[in-house]
């Protein structure tokens, strides 16, 4: 279904994002994962199981428009074509205990 299609997964180096990235890759998709820190990247690379699709990792600060444009240019330059899906995985700022909710 996703063979040769492309998705961009922001937050892809986190726990939930890692699962999403692996699912797209196992379906044969090209997956672009922007990241901010080398720490999250090394852990991600050690755990990822890339079976079919192509994975493109790029250091990008998504709050800087020029860097986002650069990512998309790099992506198109490599011949990955049009983006089929963009998945945004939010980060949880802190753990919240159940008792904190009223």
């Amino acid at each position: 279904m996703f063979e040769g299609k492309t998705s961009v997964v922001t937050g892809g180096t986190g726990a939930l994002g890692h699962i999403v990235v692996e699912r797209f890759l196992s379906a044969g998709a090209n997956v672009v994962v922007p990241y901010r820190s080398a720490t999250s990247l090394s852990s991600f690379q050690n755990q990822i199981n890339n079976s079919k699709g192509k994975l493109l990792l790029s250091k990008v600060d998504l709050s800087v428009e020029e860097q986002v444009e650069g990512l998309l240019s790099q992506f198109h330059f490599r011949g990955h074509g049009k983006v089929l899906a963009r998945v945004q995985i939010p980060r949880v700022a802190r753990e919240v205990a159940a008792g904190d909710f009223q």
Side-chain angles (χ1 to χ4, degrees):
M1 180 172 159
F2 290 103
E3 191 77 34
K5 306 293 184 189
T6 301
S7 62
V8 177
V9 181
T10 61
T13 59
L16 180 57
H18 174 260
I19 295 167
V20 172
V21 168
E22 280 198 332
R23 296 293 174 136
F24 274 119
L25 287 172
S26 67
N30 302 315
V31 182
V32 179
V33 178
Y35 67 94
R36 280 193 291 181
S37 74
T39 305
S40 63
L41 181 63
S42 62
S43 173
F44 173 77
Q45 286 179 307
N46 290 334
Q47 296 174 11
I48 199 72
N49 178 18
N50 186 357
S51 55
K52 288 184 181 178
K54 294 179 185 174
L55 178 63
L56 171 65
L57 301 168
S58 185
K59 186 169 183 175
V60 175
D61 182 341
L62 296 174
S63 67
V64 179
E65 186 175 344
E66 292 82 17
Q67 289 187 26
V68 174
E69 289 172 0
L71 170 68
L72 295 176
S73 296
Q74 174 186 17
F75 169 72
H76 286 294
F77 176 75
R78 291 184 181 206
H80 293 295
K82 199 172 198 177
V83 174
L84 171 71
R86 183 180 66 88
V87 181
Q88 185 172 353
I89 309 296
R91 289 189 105 76
V92 176
R94 67 178 180 90
E95 233 177 86
V96 179
D100 289 348
F101 291 98
Q102 294 180 5

